[in-house]
Amino acid sequence: MSSPKNYPRFHSLLDHLRKDLYEKEKVVRLGLLAVMAGESIFLLGPPGVAKSMIARRLKYVFTEARAFEYLMGKFSTPDEVFGPVSISKLKSEDKYERLITHYLPGAQIIFLDEIWKASPAIQNSLLTVLNEKIYRNGEHEVKVDLRGIIAASNELPLVGEGLDALWDRFLIRLRIQNIKEESFFQQMLRTSKKSGTSDPVPKEEKISSDQYHTWKEQIEAISIPDYVMSYLHYLRKILQERNAKYQQEEQMYVSDRRWWKIAQLMRASAFLHDREQVELIDCFLIIDCIWQLDEQIEEAEKLVEEAMLSYGYQGMLNLQALKQGMDKILLDVKEETEVTHSQEVVQAKSYLDKGKNPYVKVLNYWSNDDVFLRKSDWDNMEVDKETFLPIFENSNQVFRPFQTFSFTRTGDFTLMSKRKQLAVETEEVFKEITRLISPSQGSIDRWNQQSLVLTRFCQEKIQELQARKAQDEDMAARHLFVDRKYVSLVKESLEKAILTISHMKLEIEKNRHHYESISASS
């Protein structure tokens, strides 16, 4: 790991790169992150919105980088993209090789406009370059020193055109539009052409090739802690559940390859912030890596945000192990303090209608006729309190109300109506009766010790989360590649995790009070 100096350097680089590029800050910062991670980026937008200018700006980040630009068309040939065939090699050595130096395989920063118009021959070669950074030139495999491919189009790849594999290779996907703010539009009009094409990065701030490759190795060493892994697992599950509800063409499909690349992107982000591990704030980069259709962009943002809010910092709590510890204590308490036996009891007999709703029979309401009350009405009657209730008649399990009368409950199974003493039909049944017995002092001591371990764990997590609040909020506010609006969401997720573990701590205390009260009362 290099000394803590990456953050100020890249903060300054971003300031230089976005000069005279209005309302394009997100594209610039994610473009810089993409080239530092060695990943590709796709820009969706109409012509004339500075897509090619942004690609050229990224070349100026490096001291010796070569750039290659090409506008794809239906008549584009591999010679125009990968270089012409070497006639001398073909004549003298009978070898089919291309002169690649000044073409795509010899460049570090590549801009391909109207990417979906590329021919199948160009597409197939691009797949290997994008994924493995290798170009097969005749009999040889050439290692491409690729730092970033920026592709652009005013449309997404058409379904059924065989472009899925190429589309999957572009990790970051961004929508780019014309300038909306009038003041920025006026500033753009006053900007000279020279300003848009000149190198904005001072020589002393450029990154050398040796430095870039050294950093790439150091990025690989950045770790992903368990709580970030937990969030990634949770988000992946949410996406799978979401996709199960949609047809294939409407799914947010994220391949294993893309997940791996997402992890690399987050590692690069951590490194450029002088951290040795990925943090949860880096996970907001996922938003621009998972959508497939233009109309899914807002949904992708919402999914990542809601997953962070509901689960984010809770991944630090190990709630499953904590709950297992609590359940084990409760099970031990139940086994030692609860004695169950069968006992014959008298209860109001239930009659069920066809919907399985229970009723009780009031005997001899009129001469020898029986009527019914809803069991819920009977159960809710208070002794010696007059209540007006509907009465029902039963015909083949269909209970029909036919009148409302005044009733007063007088006992467990007796009631009065119109000064007539009545009774509810009863039955004798066997029920499981649980009786509490006092636990041994040894068991109480053991449960107290186990509860103390769980309580200390909760308290440590509460302190750990509280200690992270200022640090993580500052980390979110200073993040080079994530929007500042997520500062409040980070804070809310942290506070929710603190509340969750605080409730767990309270439950442990309530459980302790439960078994101690059994001992005191037995």
Side-chain angles (χ1 to χ4, degrees), residues 435-475:
R435 181 170 59 89
L436 296 178
I437 61 172
S438 179
S440 68
Q441 187 59 47
S443 295
I444 293 175
D445 292 342
R446 184 176 72 254
W447 299 333
N448 281 341
Q449 184 60 38
Q450 292 170 347
S451 296
L452 181 62
V453 171
L454 297 179
T455 301
R456 284 176 176 170
F457 174 82
C458 291
Q459 189 58 41
E460 287 171 2
K461 288 300 179 182
I462 291 170
Q463 292 173 352
E464 180 184 350
L465 288 169
Q466 288 175 336
R468 289 184 69 104
K469 284 184 73 173
Q471 167 195 307
D472 284 25
E473 287 174 35
D474 179 65
M475 191 188 303

Side-chain angles (χ1 to χ4, degrees), residues 100-132:
I100 63 174
T101 303
H102 300 292
Y103 293 85
L104 187 148
Q108 286 77 46
I109 303 296
I110 297 159
F111 177 64
L112 301 176
D113 204 0
E114 297 300 334
I115 182 67
W116 312 125
K117 294 179 181 178
S119 66
I122 294 174
Q123 289 177 30
N124 290 337
S125 296
L126 276 176
L127 289 175
T128 308
V129 172
L130 280 165
N131 197 49
E132 301 171 36

